[in-house]
Amino acid sequence: MGRSPCCEKAHTNKGAWTKEEDERLIAYIRAHGEGCWRSLPKAAGLLRCGKSCRLRWINYLRPDLKRGNFTEEEEELIIKFHSLLGNKWSLIAGRLPGRTDNEIKNYWNTHIRRKLLSRGIDPTTHRSINEPTSTQKVTTISFAGDSKDDYQDQKINIKAEFVETNKEDKIQEKCLPDLNLELRISPPHHQQNQQLDHHHQRSNSICFTCSLGIQNSKDCSCGKINGNGCSNNIVSMNIIAGYDFLGLKTNGLLDYRTLETK
DNA sequence: AATGTGAGCAACCGCCCAGTG
DNA sequence: CCACTGGGCGGTTGCTCACAT
């Protein structure tokens, strides 16, 4: 028995949504809320695929959407988040209220990408296009410890050194914060806190989604919101430099716990 | 006015993953 | 443990429109 399709394609409309379809979808969700997308089209009297309904609602019909051009601030944020997260449009969208992943993705591909290229910046790596690849050295990847219980000994140190070899690098240095990343396989969060307490360094760290200001995210793993604490096999990133990933000055350490190993 | 071309964007496709029985 | 489902995501497509020729 194979996987059943999400809808019967022969009996579904495709292409642009009509005003009537929009109104039906809005009316149904207002009355019943967002529920099972698979059964929604039939219940709402729409000849559409459930996925299509979901996409239409999330990207265009949701009442909290902000329409119109992106501001300079939003554009800067997108560039900075993209330099950190890559094409994780949904994560980026979570940081920009009223914007959808699809909208950001389109804006990136049509505007920002071209703008960066015209500035001589590779939109994928956020580094100078003319920059020799040899200038970036990744060193010191070490595994230590063989006890399963000793998480501290399972630390993986990955230090990225951006070696300055020409004038372009000096320009690049101004564009990107200087990151010195320490990645580690860490113990469960409560264990780590105990260890920190032991050293009189109680952690007030928050997870990545919380640090981005995303409220009630399902990705939250720090327990500040859902109280679940952290899971095993977490890669945490301590940004040791005096600037966070947005290039903003910071005094303390940032701890990003949701960059989990998969 | 007709045609060509490129940009912008809405929508679709297919894959992935977590949840469930 | 496995099969299946629903939902989510990123990549891609193709339509529309503005502008140039």
Side-chain angles (χ1 to χ4, degrees), chain A residues 191-234:
Chain A
Q191 285 187 27
Q192 209 171 45
N193 278 346
Q194 286 170 4
Q195 287 158 356
L196 286 168
D197 286 346
H198 181 71
H199 292 95
H200 308 289
Q201 293 175 344
R202 171 167 278 283
S203 168
N204 58 0
S205 60
I206 57 175
C207 75
F208 187 46
T209 46
C210 290
S211 74
L212 294 181
I214 304 168
Q215 300 300 312
N216 299 320
S217 168
K218 66 179 170 62
D219 292 323
C220 172
S221 61
C222 68
K224 298 283 184 198
I225 291 170
N226 57 26
N228 289 336
C230 268
S231 58
N232 290 337
N233 298 326
I234 293 166

Side-chain angles (χ1 to χ4, degrees), chain A residues 25-71:
Chain A
L25 182 57
I26 291 169
Y28 183 85
I29 291 178
R30 274 186 186 153
H32 303 93
E34 292 179 48
C36 176
W37 292 109
R38 189 185 176 90
S39 59
L40 184 148
K42 196 177 178 183
L46 289 163
L47 293 174
R48 288 278 179 175
C49 167
K51 278 189 171 188
S52 181
C53 293
R54 178 186 158 269
L55 199 73
R56 183 67 183 169
W57 173 255
I58 287 175
N59 284 334
Y60 306 101
L61 301 178
R62 257 168 46 198
D64 59 327
L65 288 181
K66 186 197 291 181
R67 308 304 297 181
N69 296 334
F70 281 78
T71 64

Side-chain angles (χ1 to χ4, degrees), chain A residues 54-252:
Chain A
R54 178 186 158 269
L55 199 73
R56 183 67 183 169
W57 173 255
I58 287 175
N59 284 334
Y60 306 101
L61 301 178
R62 257 168 46 198
D64 59 327
L65 288 181
K66 186 197 291 181
R67 308 304 297 181
N69 296 334
F70 281 78
T71 64
E72 287 281 328
E73 281 183 1
E74 285 177 316
E75 192 173 311
E76 282 291 310
L77 276 176
I78 292 169
I79 293 170
K80 285 177 176 175
F81 279 114
H82 186 274
S83 71
L84 183 79
L85 302 167
N87 295 352
K88 301 291 178 190
W89 306 116
S90 57
L91 272 180
I92 297 171
R95 185 57 180 136
L96 295 169
R99 300 296 187 183
T100 68
D101 54 356
N102 204 41
E103 197 178 9
I104 292 170
K105 178 173 62 182
N106 281 334
Y107 190 71
W108 175 270
N109 286 329
T110 55
H111 294 86
I112 301 176
R113 206 167 179 278
R114 196 172 303 138
K115 192 181 276 188
L116 291 179
L117 283 170
S118 72
R119 289 180 189 167
I121 298 170
D122 186 330
T124 307
T125 62
H126 293 264
R127 299 181 70 82
S128 173
I129 288 170
N130 299 323
E131 179 181 324
T133 54
S134 60
T135 58
Q136 180 179 331
K137 289 182 180 178
V138 178
T139 60
T140 320
I141 299 178
S142 60
F143 297 80
D146 49 15
S147 167
K148 279 185 180 178
D149 298 327
D150 189 352
Y151 288 100
Q152 288 298 69
D153 284 348
Q154 294 181 23
K155 182 187 287 184
I156 304 171
N157 288 319
I158 301 176
K159 188 176 181 181
E161 295 176 356
F162 300 103
V163 180
E164 190 177 295
T165 57
N166 55 35
K167 288 179 181 176
E168 286 173 6
D169 276 343
K170 287 189 175 178
I171 297 168
Q172 188 66 33
E173 203 173 69
K174 290 179 182 175
C175 300
L176 290 171
D178 184 19
L179 299 179
N180 189 3
L181 307 178
E182 178 186 313
L183 307 179
R184 75 173 68 178
I185 306 292
S186 70
H189 197 205
H190 66 276
Q191 285 187 27
Q192 209 171 45
N193 278 346
Q194 286 170 4
Q195 287 158 356
L196 286 168
D197 286 346
H198 181 71
H199 292 95
H200 308 289
Q201 293 175 344
R202 171 167 278 283
S203 168
N204 58 0
S205 60
I206 57 175
C207 75
F208 187 46
T209 46
C210 290
S211 74
L212 294 181
I214 304 168
Q215 300 300 312
N216 299 320
S217 168
K218 66 179 170 62
D219 292 323
C220 172
S221 61
C222 68
K224 298 283 184 198
I225 291 170
N226 57 26
N228 289 336
C230 268
S231 58
N232 290 337
N233 298 326
I234 293 166
V235 174
S236 66
M237 294 166 55
N238 291 332
I239 299 202
I240 298 169
Y243 295 84
D244 67 12
F245 60 83
L246 291 178
L248 303 171
K249 192 111 182 157
T250 165
N251 294 325

